[in-house]
């Protein structure tokens, strides 16, 4: 049943099957107007069907190179690529260390925590840190900030950008010629101009903006970070049909994965927590259910440990689970300098 | 004497079936010898899981690993890929849906394999092993079906080409591309899930490849977790394992949910087991004379192996 594997709408698919077109070869020599008449659909829809058919058949009959499928890369090539990859610093050295350098590009990282723990602060810090020029050890890219709750404050972003620039100039005090040209770019206004901000107010807008992101990212090739704060907000209240919510979210996360791989950028999703009754007690878990928990590459949980804020890596394919404390200061997210020299490994 | 009888029997059957599409008829003995000689166990690198699987991932079969988030499913996949290539079984194709394929982690596994090797040999062995693991990202079910068709066509055409042949196909995770299309009002999603299942089993059986897929968990009744993709998917993998977290430490536990050879650990799977018991008791009783024609999906061969040893 090859027709069933075509990416066309279900109503057209059932019309094709009911008229007797079951295999791709039966559609190979048919004109769009004839098909439109047969199925009683519009001419454009018939053209789309035939285009989907021809796409599938050309990819199958193309010369198959040796190398099992086109586009597959060996792990060895990926290793060398990965070693040259830069990471986005979070501002806290301990957290960067346990993350293996910082937030990875080409991966979707989910950050969850109770309200007030510093998720939005971390989001804004990452949006600033991704813009650190390459000469100073950063990525030199721009950021897309998708705000669903309205918690992004431009004044705070200004403060954090100022703090970041101050620390960079502190760390690299040299006045050599290469650094002079970069220094001009280290202006707070440039940093704020490098954050593309989207404010969305419903789940349909959220789905729409993620669908639109592909076009946006093709136009703005220097975006290296997409932050969604928070990805759960609109899906918690308005959705009646939970099964449909799971399906929609599954599709959303796949699209984000594809974007991160295609455009070589990092996607950071901020998530809220909810309580769950397991093993006879109420526990805090991330919102959106069990099926959402597998749709990210890495997961970081921010929590309180006594009086200090702590970040715990719950899920990662390449680094072990570990915990690191951090501070939210006036300049942004920073590590604990004097007392804790090493992150506690769990 | 036996051979001519068998040939006679086969030739009487043959005209009744369509000649082109039919795979050759095989007797139980032929299947058993094929199992013993050709269907090897591929190591996962984790002794407990290899023991539960009866030796490792079986060539020709689809093994599923289900488990909650961060229970170790991707790590089992990465470890299997490393160990299979290290023991020279062939190439590995890793289809990744959540960008979790980590070359760094593979290099960690490789370095743990032969700790006593000198440095230069380690470097070349790392390159050889990692050059035999191919990774491709898949982000929707149409791309997955396309890719699997392509793999099947390539395997048919390049049977005896030089270099290594594909021996392990990993899809991590198959549930994340299938789950967004199933459920809902129309049934096209279930149809596509069935297509994926049939394709995976066909690739495994016809080209003697082990297929490893991962599945996530969803909520069931009373707040317990159950593997995703529902009842219809349960019949597709030959062997299903369930991973779970250890509480508070690094140890997890693995449970066998379904296995063609061994008794499963859960009570609700006794129906599967009893079907086999009834069938073989029919064969064993001497009142049954003549031959039994069993039209099998795929699990028949391995069960005869077990009854032989019982």
């Amino acid at each position: 049943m090859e027709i069933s594997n075509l990416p066309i709408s279900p109503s057209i698919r059932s019309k094709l099957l009911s008229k007797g077109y079951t295999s791709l070869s039966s559609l190979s020599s048919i004109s769009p107007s004839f098909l439109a008449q047969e199925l009683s659909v519009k001419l454009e829809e018939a053209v789309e069907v035939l285009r989907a058919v021809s796409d599938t058949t050309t990819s199958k009959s193309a010369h198959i190179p040796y190398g099992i499928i086109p586009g597959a890369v060996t792990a060895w090539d990926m290793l060398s690529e990965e070693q040259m990859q830069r990471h986005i610093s979070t501002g806290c050295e301990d957290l960067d260390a346990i993350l293996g350098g910082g937030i990875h590009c080409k991966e979707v990282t989910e950050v969850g925590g109770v309200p007030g723990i510093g998720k939005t602060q971390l989001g804004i810090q990452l949006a600033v840190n991704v813009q650190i020029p390459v000469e100073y050890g950063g990525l030199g890219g721009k950021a897309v900030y998708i705000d669903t709750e309205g918690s992004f404050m431009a004044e705070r972003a200004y403060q954090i950008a100022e703090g970041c620039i101050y620390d960079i100039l502190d760390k690299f005090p040299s006045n050599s010629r290469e650094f002079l040209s970069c220094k001009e770019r280290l202006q707070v206004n440039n940093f704020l101009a490098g954050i593309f901000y989207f404010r969305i107010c419903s789940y349909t807008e959220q789905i729409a903006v993620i669908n639109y992101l592909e076009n946006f990212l093709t136009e703005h090739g220097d975006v290296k970070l997409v932050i969604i704060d928070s990805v759960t907000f609109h899906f918690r209240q308005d959705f009646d049909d939970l099964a449909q919510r799971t399906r929609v979210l599954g599709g959303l996360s796949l699209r984000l994965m594809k974007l991160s791989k295609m455009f070589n950028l990092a996607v950071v999703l901020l998530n809220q927590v909810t309580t769950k009754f397991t093993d006879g007690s109420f526990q805090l878990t991330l919102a959106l259910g069990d099926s959402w928990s597998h749709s990210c590459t890495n997961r970081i949980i921010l929590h309180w440990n006594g009086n200090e804020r702590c970040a715990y890596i719950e899920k990662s394919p390449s680094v072990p689970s570990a915990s690191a404390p951090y501070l939210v200061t006036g300049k942004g997210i920073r590590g604990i300098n004097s007392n804790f020299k090493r992150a506690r490994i769990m | 004497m036996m051979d001519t009888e068998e040939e006679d029997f086969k030739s009487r059957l043959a005209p009744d079936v369509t000649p082109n599409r039919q795979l050759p008829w095989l007797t139980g003995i032929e299947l058993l010898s094929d199992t013993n000689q050709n269907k090897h166990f591929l190591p996962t690198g984790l002794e407990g899981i290899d023991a539960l699987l009866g030796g490792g991932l079986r060539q020709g079969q689809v093994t599923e690993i289900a488990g909650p988030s961060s229970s170790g499913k991707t790590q089992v996949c990465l470890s299997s890929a490393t160990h299979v290539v290290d023991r020279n079984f062939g190439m590995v194709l890793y289809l990744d849906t959540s960008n979790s394929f980590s070359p760094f982690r593979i290099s960690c596994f490789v370095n743990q394999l032969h700790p006593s090797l000198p440095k230069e040999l380690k470097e070349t062995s790392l390159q050889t092993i990692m050059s035999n693991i191919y990774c491709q990202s898949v982000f929707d079910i149409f791309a997955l079906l396309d890719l699997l068709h392509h793999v099947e066509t390539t395997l048919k055409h390049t049977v005896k080409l030089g270099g290594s042949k594909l021996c392990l196909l990993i899809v991590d995770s198959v549930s994340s591309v299938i789950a967004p299309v199933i459920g809902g009002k129309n049934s096209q999603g279930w149809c596509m899930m069935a297509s994926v299942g049939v394709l995976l089993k066909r690739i495994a059986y016809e080209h003697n490849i082990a297929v490893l897929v991962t599945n996530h968990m969803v909520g069931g009744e009373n707040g317990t977790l159950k593997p995703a993709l529902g009842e219809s998917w349960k019949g597709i993998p030959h062997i299903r394992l369930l991973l779970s977290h250890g509480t508070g430490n690094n140890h997890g536990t693995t449970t066998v949910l379904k296995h063609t050879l061994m008794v499963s650990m859960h009570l609700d799977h006794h129906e599967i087991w009893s079907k086999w018991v009834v069938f073989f008791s029919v064969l064993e009783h001497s009142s049954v004379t003549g031959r039994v024609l069993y039209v099998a999906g795929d699990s028949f061969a391995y069960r005869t192996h077990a009854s032989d040893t019982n």
Side-chain angles (χ1 to χ4, degrees):
Chain A
M1 286 267 278
E2 295 162 313
I3 294 285
S4 62
N5 296 346
L6 277 181
I8 51 182
S9 83
S11 53
I12 298 190
R13 203 193 328 245
S14 35
K15 281 186 188 167
L16 277 173
L17 291 172
S18 64
K19 287 287 180 184
Y21 296 99
T22 46
S23 69
L24 293 177
S25 47
S26 58
L27 283 176
S28 56
S29 52
I30 219 171
S31 73
S33 45
F34 181 74
L35 189 63
Q37 219 174 9
E38 275 268 299
L39 303 177
S40 358
V41 294
K42 291 194 269 216
L43 186 62
E44 299 90 44
E45 294 177 347
V47 167
E48 283 225 19
V49 169
L50 290 175
R51 192 178 307 138
V53 169
S54 67
D55 281 345
T56 333
T57 43
T58 44
S59 65
K60 275 191 194 160
S61 61
H63 171 65
I64 301 161
Y66 185 61
I68 194 91
I69 45 174
V73 195
T74 61
W76 178 251
D77 296 331
M78 285 176 78
L79 182 67
S80 18
E81 241 181 70
E82 201 189 47
Q83 281 166 348
M84 293 193 299
Q85 191 74 255
R86 283 172 182 265
H87 303 135
I88 306 176
S89 164
T90 55
C92 165
E93 304 86 26
D94 292 332
L95 185 51
D96 285 345
I98 61 171
L99 280 173
I103 303 282
H104 297 264
C105 285
K106 284 195 185 169
E107 290 184 8
V108 174
T109 307
E110 187 182 349
V111 178
V114 291
I117 193 82
K119 303 188 294 292
T120 305
Q121 303 300 311
L122 182 61
I124 303 178
Q125 181 73 59
L126 289 171
V128 164
N129 282 358
V130 73
Q131 300 183 57
I132 297 176
V134 179
E135 295 85 354
Y136 293 109
L139 270 83
K142 303 215 169 125
V144 167
Y145 197 101
I146 301 177
D147 191 2
T148 61
E149 293 173 345
S151 41
F152 182 88
M153 310 243 55
E155 298 89 351
R156 182 66 177 138
Y158 191 93
Q159 257 190 334
I160 291 184
E162 263 187 338
C164 175
I165 294 175
Y166 184 83
D167 280 351
I168 293 176
L169 293 176
D170 213 26
K171 215 164 131 190
F172 295 90
S174 78
N175 280 318
S176 63
R177 205 162 299 162
E178 312 94 62
F179 284 113
L180 270 179
S181 57
C182 301
K183 261 194 196 173
E184 289 165 6
R185 280 186 271 139
L186 277 186
Q187 300 294 327
V188 185
N189 291 331
N190 290 346
F191 273 63
L192 289 184
I195 304 180
F196 297 106
Y197 179 77
F198 291 86
R199 173 77 170 98
I200 54 185
C201 308
S202 72
Y203 66 85
T204 39
E205 283 184 33
Q206 189 169 338
I207 300 171
V209 89
I210 291 178
N211 286 341
Y212 170 65
L213 263 184
E214 189 170 340
N215 288 341
F216 183 85
L217 292 172
T218 321
E219 276 174 53
H220 299 90
D222 46 1
V223 172
K224 287 277 175 231
L225 174 68
V226 172
I227 306 179
I228 306 187
D229 175 16
S230 63
V231 72
T232 34
F233 187 63
H234 293 297
F235 285 93
R236 293 184 78 183
Q237 38 234 47
D238 293 335
F239 251 96
D240 306 316
D241 185 356
L242 285 185
Q244 191 187 30
R245 185 183 84 170
T246 315
R247 284 199 299 278
V248 167
L249 286 171
L252 252 178
S253 76
L254 283 175
R255 225 163 286 148
L256 288 170
M257 288 280 177
K258 187 174 179 184
L259 285 175
S260 77
K261 188 88 190 214
M262 210 158 60
F263 293 101
N264 194 13
L265 44 86
V267 177
V268 176
L269 308 175
L270 304 179
N271 201 356
Q272 297 162 344
V273 291
T274 179
T275 47
K276 185 171 150 180
F277 189 71
T278 49
D279 303 329
S281 68
F282 284 103
Q283 285 181 5
L284 281 181
T285 54
L286 292 188
L288 292 181
D290 304 299
S291 350
W292 175 255
S293 58
H294 79 100
S295 353
C296 58
T297 313
N298 306 303
R299 191 177 309 122
I300 303 173
I301 309 270
L302 306 177
H303 62 105
W304 286 103
N305 190 7
N307 261 338
E308 63 178 21
R309 294 176 158 88
C310 230
Y312 171 62
I313 297 187
E314 204 205 14
K315 174 182 177 184
S316 165
S318 48
V319 295
S321 284
S323 180
Y326 67 96
L327 291 176
V328 178
T329 66
K331 291 198 283 182
I333 305 273
R334 293 291 182 270
I336 295 185
N337 288 325
S338 46
N339 304 335
F340 288 83
K341 297 281 181 163
R342 218 175 284 135
R344 273 173 286 127
I345 307 287
M346 288 207 159
Chain B
M1 205 46 175
M2 271 308 259
D3 284 340
T4 48
E5 261 182 48
E6 283 178 28
E7 291 304 315
D8 191 37
F9 179 64
K10 284 187 190 178
S11 60
R12 271 189 284 135
L13 275 177
D16 295 340
V17 298
T18 42
N20 322 353
R21 293 175 138 256
Q22 193 57 42
L23 292 174
W25 295 101
L26 297 171
T27 62
I29 293 290
E30 285 170 354
L31 280 175
L32 181 60
S33 64
D34 175 56
T35 310
N36 284 334
Q37 285 166 14
N38 297 337
K39 303 265 189 287
H40 302 122
F41 287 105
L42 300 182
T44 59
L46 302 153
E47 292 156 355
I49 295 190
D50 278 346
L52 265 186
L53 290 172
L57 300 168
R58 195 93 198 226
Q59 283 180 324
Q61 288 194 329
V62 177
T63 308
E64 172 190 301
I65 297 190
S69 175
S70 76
S71 48
K73 309 186 286 292
T74 304
Q75 299 302 308
V76 172
C77 295
L78 294 174
S79 172
S80 307
T82 317
H83 281 84
V84 161
V85 174
D86 179 54
R87 308 249 196 107
N88 288 319
F89 280 99
M91 250 172 56
V92 172
L93 177 60
Y94 195 106
L95 299 180
D96 184 15
T97 66
S98 52
N99 293 342
S100 333
F101 182 77
S102 165
F104 171 71
R105 190 76 182 111
I106 298 248
S107 66
C108 291
F109 280 124
V110 173
N111 288 330
Q112 285 169 6
L113 279 174
H114 307 288
S116 52
L117 273 186
K119 204 172 169 202
E120 314 80 46
L121 282 181
K122 263 195 183 174
E123 186 63 32
T124 40
S125 115
L126 182 70
Q127 180 167 7
T128 329
I129 291 181
M130 291 185 71
S131 307
N132 275 321
I133 303 178
Y134 285 83
C135 176
Q136 171 69 305
S137 295
V138 200
F139 298 112
D140 63 85
I141 193 166
F142 301 109
L144 178 63
L145 284 166
D146 219 19
L147 227 55
L148 290 176
H149 277 123
H150 201 125
V151 167
E152 205 184 2
T153 324
T154 317
L155 285 173
K156 277 189 196 151
H157 292 158
T158 60
V159 167
K160 288 296 177 197
L161 213 54
S164 344
K165 190 177 161 280
L166 182 66
C167 67
L168 174 63
L169 172 66
I170 303 179
V171 187
D172 175 25
S173 61
V174 76
S175 51
S176 57
V177 289
I178 296 181
V181 296
I182 56 178
K185 296 195 205 98
N186 60 54
S187 55
Q188 305 293 349
W190 302 106
C191 180
M192 287 195 279
M193 180 174 90
S195 303
V196 170
V198 163
L199 253 183
L200 287 173
K201 283 164 61 149
R202 198 162 67 214
I203 290 178
Y205 181 70
E206 287 184 6
H207 303 283
N208 209 24
I209 289 173
V211 175
L212 176 62
V213 298
T214 59
N215 195 359
H216 66 277
M217 307 289 275
V218 290
E221 312 86 47
N222 302 328
T224 54
L225 290 178
K226 60 176 186 179
L229 300 181
E231 297 290 317
S232 338
W233 178 260
K234 276 187 186 174
I236 293 178
H238 297 99
I239 299 171
R240 302 176 83 206
L241 295 180
L242 174 66
L243 295 184
S244 53
H245 283 292
T247 41
N249 52 16
N250 274 330
H251 303 292
T253 53
T254 316
T255 324
V256 175
L257 283 180
K258 172 186 174 188
H259 200 296
T260 49
L261 276 185
M262 295 164 18
V263 184
S264 65
M265 310 300 172
H266 285 238
L267 229 44
D268 48 322
H269 286 267
H270 264 206
E271 293 92 66
I272 301 175
W273 186 245
S274 57
K275 176 176 81 181
W276 285 110
V277 169
V278 166
F279 175 67
F280 281 101
S281 62
V282 165
L283 276 189
E284 279 157 12
H285 285 102
S286 50
S287 55
V288 176
T289 51
R291 294 167 194 271
V292 178
L293 180 63
Y294 191 91
V295 182
D298 30 42
S299 348
F300 181 66
Y302 315 117
R303 189 64 186 89
T304 49
H305 181 69
S307 74
D308 204 47
T309 53
N310 273 350

